[in-house]
Structure formats: C-alpha cells, structure tokens
Amino acid sequence: MNPRPHLSAKPAARRQGAGPSARRRMLLVIGVLGAASVGLVARAFDLQVVRKQFYQDQGDARFLREVDIPVSRGTIFDRNGEPLAVSTPMVSITAVPSEVLDNADRIPALAQALGINPDDLKSYLEQRSDRDFAYLRRQMSPDAAQAVIDLAVPGVNGQREYKRYYPSGEVTAHVLGFTNIDDHGQEGLELAFDSWLAGKKGAKRVIRDRMGHVVEDVEQVRAPQPGQNLTLSLDRRIQFLAYSELKKQLDDVDADSGEMVVLDVRTGEILAMVSLPTYNPNAVTGTNGSQRRNRAVTDVVEPGSTMKPFTMAAALSSGKFTPTTPQIDTGNGHFMYYGHDIHDDSANGVLTPTGVLTKSSNVGAAKIAIQLDTQFLYNSYRAFGFGDSTGSGFPGESSGLLKVGHTWRPLEKATIAYGYGMNLTPLQLANAYATLADDGVMHPPTFIKDGDNPGKQIVTPQIAHELVTMLETVTAPGGTATRAQIANYSVAGKTGTAHLAAVGGYAKNNYNSLFAGIVPATDPRLVGVIVINNPKKGYFGGDVSAPVFQRVMDGALRLLDVPPDNIGRWYVGGPMQAGGGLAGNAPPQSSQGDSSAQEVVEP
C-alpha cells in the first residue's frame, strides 16, 4: 500500500528557487519605468527651462526670419515733369544652397529657367553649401522670375527688388549718372542726391515653411520709407537738342570730344549739360571712366579769348577805361613783352576797348591788363568765380586753376588777360557769362528747379550792360562770330581758340575751340558755352563752336517762347531787311582768314 503524500510537501523544483518571484519581477518593471520617467522629466526640464532660449533661437532661425521690405528709389523728373530716371520692379532669385543640392535632380531644370549652365550652377551651389543664402540671378523680369519659382525647387525663392531705368539713355547720362545693382548712386546726380532718392528699406518678421517659402507675416519691425522724387532744372527738349547738335558737329569736324552748357541767366538753373563721347547708363558694363566722366564739370580748359570780357570787366571797373576810350595801339599785330612775341595774325592798328573784343586782339587785351593793378585784376577774376568751385554740388567738380595774383610774373599777367596760364571748366565759364547777362549778379549754378538761389552783385549793372553791348559787336558783321547770329534775336558772345597744352609747352597744331554767348542780348535769358576739343577740320571758335550755339539756342528760344528782340536785322543765312539796325548788308565772311585768327597765340 502506497503512502499518501503529505499536503504540505513542495515540489523539488520549487524548493530549489529556480526563478524570480512575480513580486520581484513587478518591482523591477516599476523601477525601470520610474528611472525612465525621471530621465524624461530631466530632459524636458533641460529643453524647456535650461536650454529653452537656445532651441527657441534655433527654431526661429529655421522658420521665423526677418526680411527686408524693399522700397522704390525716387523718380527724377526734368523741369517739365518728364521722367529722366525711374525704378521698375524686378525679382531676384535666391536659394539655400544645401537644400537645392539635396534635390540635385532638379538642378538641370532650374539652370535652364535661369539661363545658365547646369554644371556651373551646381559648382556655384557647392562652393556656398555652408551658407543659408545665395543669389542665383539678380533682377529678372517678373514674368521670367515667376517661371523659375513655379518649378517649386526646394530652397529656391524670389525676392523683390528695383532696377533703375533711364528713358533718355545716353542723352542725359553724364548729368544723371547711374546706380549699381543694389540701387545705390554711383555717378552724377544719382550719387549727389543718393540719400534723398534712396529712401530706407523696411523690415518684417515672417514664418517660412521647410521649402523656404513665406507662409505668414508675423509683424512689421520697421516701416519702409520710399525714396523722394527729385525735379531737376534740366529741360529734356533742350538737352536733346544740345546733344544732337554737338554730336553732329563733332562728327563734322572730326573732334575728340566736346561739351555744352546752357544756363538760365536769371536763376542760374542749368537747362542743358552735354558731354561727348557718352555712354548708355542702362548698360554700364564695359564702359570706362573716360566715357563716364562729365567733362563739363570735371575737366578744365584754357579759355583762350573767351577770357577777354573779364579782363575788360576789370578795366571798366577800374575807371581807367570806357567802351570807347582810351585808344589802344595794337600796331602791326606784334607786341614784344619780356622777350615774348604776343601777336595777332593781322594788323589792326588803333582799337577802342570795344574793338579789342570785336577783333579779338591779344595785343590789345595784354596792353589793357598791363595798365591795371595786379591785385585788382586778380580779385576781379576771382569775383567771377575763376579758381573756385561753382558750388553746383556735382560730384568731382573741378575748381580750375588761377594762380594767386602776387605770384604772377609780368608775362603771366599779360597772357592770362587773353586766356592762357589759367584754366576753368565749361560750367565756370558759362556761370561767368551769365553774371554779365544778369546785370552783374552771379547766381550759383544749380541742377534743381525753383531752388532758393540768391545772387551776388559782382560788377555794377552799368558795366554789365556795357560789356554785353560790346560783345554784340563780336557776332555782327566784321566780328569773329558772325556764324552765331540767330534770326530775329540779338546775340552777344565771344569766340576762343587755344592751343592744347603738351609736354614742354603747347601743341603746335592741336586746339580747343570755344564759344560763349548770350541771348537775347537786349534782354538776356540764356547763356550757352560750347567747347570742342582737338577738331581736325578747322579750329577757330567762330567756325567750329559758334554754329553749334546758333542751332541750339535758336531752338531753345522758341521752345521757351522767348519773344524776338531783333526782328528785321541782318542775320546769318539772310540779308538785313528794312529797318535793320546794323550798318551794311554784306554776307558774313568765314572767321578763318579774318580777325578770329588773332585769337591763337602761343604764350
């Protein structure tokens, strides 16, 4: 009989403790979960408290950005409201290089839309892979840029910008200048008035998605301030006329370059300023500094005989001379002075001070200057602005050169009287003639319309009137500038022909040809100065530069509705009609071969 096992007996396996109890297993699980919870809480505390700002900045850097709000540059208008410089909206294509490279299969299509080589684009992106921003193409037309954006390449975006456009192109290039690709003025009035025209960009915070596209505007950080408009004194019609006529004349006489300035004598406002050769400000790439230089303001010339009226102004102001007295003996056209032959090319004999201007006698001008006190003569020249900036505000304006009077040697004093041994800009010369035209009042030349431009009395109104009347004889028959005459208008002016400076002295066969004139002479409104540099076909100012004055000012007077003051008098191109005020009706002779040749002399 088998004994019955005792109820309290345990199986052998259990007695030996082969595995953990359920209680111990439970405790282990709880411990692991507790440790994990503590770790998560610690990590959350670290992220949300200890390093909260760091991660917030990192997140913002990826999704919240501050971007510029572009502003349009102010428009430049001529005096009649015609636009000379405008800003047109464009779009620049930008990218996050690393994101584009992560989608390398899209690069060929992107390159085609941008109009560039795919390999070049990929290389460009690889070189900038560590950057968050790079331009792919600047200033595309909105339509072309939209075609790029429509490709939806990750990391590629469009950014609005503005591009400067100049409707008149090369006609106004030297006055206006141009802007760079970032819309900052680089030359001319664009540079001079950059802070006025440019305005100030605004700024805003935006949220971008992972593709880099703006999905939400968060806030405006800084309000944009568009550039202010600028109205110039220029008259686009007269500017175009001056440009066209000067360009034609440079071609006709085979000259190196030329400049023309037209001033309103009553205000000092610059109505036209042309410098040739020129350039297209809408396509500056490939041009050089010589093409972009505004020679009417930055370059200087020796004025030759156009300086004689200011020597005469000093003479009349001294009280020693009047328009008709005393008589000046120019002899046979040669005057030996300190071993130098000051000469005219023909014998003029005895001349009045008016005759010295009419015949453009170097001998007469030198003999007048010699009789004047040196410091008085120097001060008179300085009063007309020679040797000093006009104050126009144009970048790079030259002051010219007039040596201090007490350093003049006797020969220098004599040669300066007829325009050698000193130099000036075409704008300075125009401003000095405008002073004579406006009753002896000098207005600083200005490019701004209707600006506050008070004048300063330089010589008395009586002397100014006498000089203008004396200068009328220069354009009358027998004078050196008959080709400057304008039908039905009286013209006062002066020719000038000067040898070009060269190493060791003056070039024998190279000249500058000048003319400065005032119209209408009886009630002056406009002054025009023309300088033509190194013409190869003729060189006398009366033949080379005076015809440009005639054609430009003839048109300008009519454009401005200036009433004629000289109806019926003789003029170039037609005989004197009944009632004319000039003696004789013979047609004008070419100044080449007559007394205008007296202007040329080697000091």
Side-chain angles (χ1 to χ4, degrees):
M1 175 175 178
N2 294 328
R4 191 174 180 176
H6 195 276
L7 294 176
S8 63
K10 297 179 180 180
R14 291 186 65 185
R15 285 197 304 269
Q16 294 174 0
S21 67
R23 181 181 179 81
R24 292 176 65 186
R25 285 197 299 270
M26 183 63 70
L27 291 174
L28 179 62
V29 170
I30 292 172
V32 172
L33 292 175
S37 298
V38 171
L40 289 173
V41 170
R43 180 60 174 165
F45 182 82
D46 178 61
L47 294 176
Q48 299 184 36
V49 179
V50 178
R51 292 197 284 176
K52 175 183 178 181
Q53 190 60 48
F54 171 78
Y55 287 108
Q56 183 69 52
D57 292 343
Q58 291 297 306
D60 289 348
R62 288 163 174 76
F63 297 101
L64 183 64
R65 291 290 182 90
E66 184 174 300
V67 298
D68 288 336
I69 303 174
V71 295
S72 175
R73 192 173 177 87
T75 301
I76 300 178
F77 297 98
D78 86 334
R79 66 185 303 107
N80 300 311
E82 295 292 331
L84 300 178
V86 297
S87 290
T88 57
M90 307 293 281
V91 178
S92 290
I93 302 300
T94 67
V96 179
S98 60
E99 293 187 20
V100 180
L101 290 170
D102 288 342
N103 299 269
D105 59 314
R106 308 291 304 280
I107 289 179
L110 176 62
Q112 182 178 5
L114 292 170
I116 57 180
N117 183 279
D119 292 335
D120 292 342
L121 175 58
K122 185 175 181 181
S123 176
Y124 175 84
L125 292 168
E126 288 173 344
Q127 293 171 10
R128 294 159 178 78
S129 60
D130 58 340
R131 302 181 187 178
D132 292 331
F133 176 90
Y135 283 111
L136 298 185
R137 181 81 178 272
R138 297 294 298 272
Q139 297 185 346
M140 297 182 70
S141 69
D143 290 342
Q146 190 60 48
V148 176
I149 295 170
D150 287 345
L151 294 174
V153 178
V156 175
N157 295 284
Q159 176 179 296
R160 174 169 288 244
E161 293 185 319
Y162 290 90
K163 182 178 181 180
R164 207 62 161 163
Y165 175 66
Y166 303 93
S168 298
E170 60 185 24
V171 175
T172 54
H174 287 104
V175 177
L176 300 182
F178 59 92
T179 62
N180 62 11
I181 198 166
D182 293 315
D183 222 16
H184 297 305
Q186 300 298 294
E187 299 276 0
L189 299 183
E190 289 277 28
L191 175 59
F193 293 94
D194 189 56
S195 59
W196 177 271
L197 293 165
K200 295 182 180 179
K201 292 181 179 180
K204 63 180 179 180
R205 288 193 179 94
V206 300
I207 293 177
R208 287 180 170 172
D209 61 17
R210 65 184 184 85
M211 305 289 288
H213 301 141
V214 174
V215 296
E216 183 182 350
D217 289 345
V218 177
E219 63 177 338
Q220 186 178 88
V221 177
R222 183 175 60 255
Q225 300 179 24
Q228 300 182 77
N229 295 336
L230 184 66
T231 299
L232 302 183
S233 59
L234 289 185
D235 188 313
R236 191 174 68 168
R237 303 167 302 173
I238 300 175
Q239 179 78 12
F240 182 78
L241 186 59
Y243 167 83
S244 300
E245 293 298 342
L246 182 61
K247 187 174 187 298
K248 179 180 182 299
Q249 189 72 350
L250 294 186
D251 291 339
D252 289 346
V253 300
D254 191 19
D256 291 348
S257 59
E259 304 84 49
M260 182 170 188
V261 178
V262 179
L263 288 181
D264 184 321
V265 303
R266 299 175 181 177
T267 63
E269 292 179 357
I270 298 168
L271 302 180
M273 179 179 283
V274 175
S275 179
L276 293 173
T278 184
Y279 67 100
N280 184 355
N282 297 305
V284 179
T285 303
T287 62
N288 56 52
S290 177
Q291 290 173 280
R292 299 194 298 266
R293 191 171 71 246
N294 186 357
R295 291 177 171 85
V297 176
T298 64
D299 285 19
V300 295
V301 296
E302 288 186 308
S305 293
T306 58
M307 187 67 183
K308 290 172 183 172
F310 307 103
T311 299
M312 201 64 67
L316 299 181
S317 297
S318 72
K320 296 181 178 180
F321 295 84
T322 73
T324 57
T325 60
Q327 300 284 305
I328 299 152
D329 186 6
T330 65
N332 63 357
H334 291 269
F335 174 42
M336 292 301 299
Y337 190 62
Y338 281 82
H340 182 81
D341 181 15
I342 298 174
H343 66 274
D344 302 329
D345 280 3
S346 61
N348 291 303
V350 176
L351 296 172
T352 65
T354 297
V356 170
L357 293 181
T358 307
K359 298 298 182 181
S360 195
S361 171
N362 297 315
V363 174
K367 286 190 172 184
I368 288 173
I370 291 168
Q371 298 180 56
L372 301 176
D373 176 77
T374 299
Q375 191 61 39
F376 177 81
L377 185 59
Y378 169 75
N379 290 342
S380 180
Y381 291 153
R382 288 285 294 183
F384 280 100
F386 303 131
D388 197 8
S389 170
T390 66
S392 72
F394 196 90
E397 179 177 2
S398 174
S399 298
L401 176 65
L402 178 66
K403 292 176 64 175
V404 179
H406 68 79
T407 67
W408 292 354
R409 293 169 297 173
L411 183 58
E412 284 181 303
K413 179 180 178 181
T415 59
I416 289 173
Y418 54 87
Y420 281 96
M422 54 90 69
N423 56 49
L424 44 74
T425 67
L427 180 59
Q428 284 178 310
L429 187 60
N431 195 43
Y433 272 82
T435 301
L436 296 180
D438 193 32
D439 296 336
V441 175
M442 175 180 283
H443 300 274
T446 177
F447 290 94
I448 305 302
K449 180 186 177 184
D450 298 332
D452 183 17
N453 199 22
K456 178 182 179 182
Q457 196 77 44
I458 303 302
V459 294
T460 66
Q462 178 184 346
I463 290 175
H465 292 160
E466 289 175 343
L467 284 166
V468 172
T469 301
M470 293 164 74
L471 290 172
E472 273 196 87
T473 67
V474 176
T475 64
T480 62
T482 55
R483 297 182 67 181
Q485 277 283 358
I486 299 172
N488 300 321
Y489 291 90
S490 59
V491 178
K494 187 70 192 74
T495 55
T497 309
H499 285 275
L500 291 176
V503 176
Y506 288 85
K508 184 175 181 60
N509 297 311
N510 301 94
Y511 305 89
N512 281 327
S513 301
L514 303 90
F515 183 79
I518 301 166
V519 287
T522 61
D523 184 17
R525 287 288 307 279
L526 301 176
V527 157
V529 166
I530 300 96
V531 179
I532 295 181
N533 304 295
N534 197 26
K536 315 300 189 304
K537 300 176 182 178
Y539 56 85
F540 294 113
D543 287 337
V544 173
S545 294
V548 181
F549 174 91
Q550 188 274 331
R551 295 192 295 266
V552 173
M553 304 309 263
D554 185 22
L557 289 166
R558 286 159 176 76
L559 286 170
L560 298 177
D561 292 325
V562 177
D565 70 329
N566 197 28
I567 295 176
R569 292 178 70 183
W570 174 93
Y571 64 94
V572 170
M576 181 181 72
Q577 301 174 11
L582 288 177
N585 58 3
Q589 301 296 318
S590 168
S591 58
Q592 187 166 340
D594 73 6
S595 55
S596 71
Q598 301 157 6
E599 301 165 10
V600 183
V601 64
E602 296 185 48

